[in-house]
């Protein structure tokens, strides 16, 4: 491999503020903020919008959609089901 063409990989903390979840892993992202980890060392931190701790697929908490209201609105707007063609 050629030297000097690959980005530097270093330990970075990814933090999901909504869920209070933090994950220490390696990344090439640059971060301006730092946080002290449980081992006493200071690492750069990247805030993320959503993680496995807050995503509905992983948590099992799904959002409730008003599908009945959508169907009723569709029927009001376009009428009942169209008659089948022969």
């Amino acid at each position: 491999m050629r030297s000097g063409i690959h980005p530097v990989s270093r330990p970075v903390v990814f933090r999901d503020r909504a869920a209070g979840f933090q994950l220490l892993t390696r990344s090439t992202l640059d971060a301006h903020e730092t946080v002290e980890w449980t081992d006493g060392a200071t690492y750069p931190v990247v805030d993320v919008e959503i993680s496995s701790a807050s995503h509905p697929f992983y948590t099992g908490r799904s959002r409730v959609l008003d599908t009945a209201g959508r169907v009723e609105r569709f029927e009001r707007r376009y009428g009942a089901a169209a008659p089948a063609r022969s």
Side-chain angles (χ1 to χ4, degrees), residues 69-83:
R70 290 181 183 185
V71 171
E72 291 169 0
R73 187 173 60 215
F74 178 84
E75 288 178 351
R76 270 196 323 267
R77 187 176 294 169
Y78 299 107

Side-chain angles (χ1 to χ4, degrees), residues 20-86:
F21 177 72
Q22 296 181 355
L23 174 70
L24 176 64
T25 187
R26 296 191 64 81
S27 177
T28 59
L29 289 176
D30 290 329
H32 300 291
E33 296 181 39
T34 59
V35 67
E36 187 173 333
W37 193 246
T38 56
D39 62 359
T42 303
Y43 297 105
V45 63
V46 176
D47 290 324
V48 293
E49 299 270 334
I50 195 162
S51 68
S52 61
S54 62
H55 193 279
F57 179 80
Y58 295 106
T59 61
R61 292 179 283 137
S62 62
R63 296 179 185 159
V64 177
L65 296 176
D66 184 21
T67 56
R70 290 181 183 185
V71 171
E72 291 169 0
R73 187 173 60 215
F74 178 84
E75 288 178 351
R76 270 196 323 267
R77 187 176 294 169
Y78 299 107
R85 293 185 186 184
S86 317

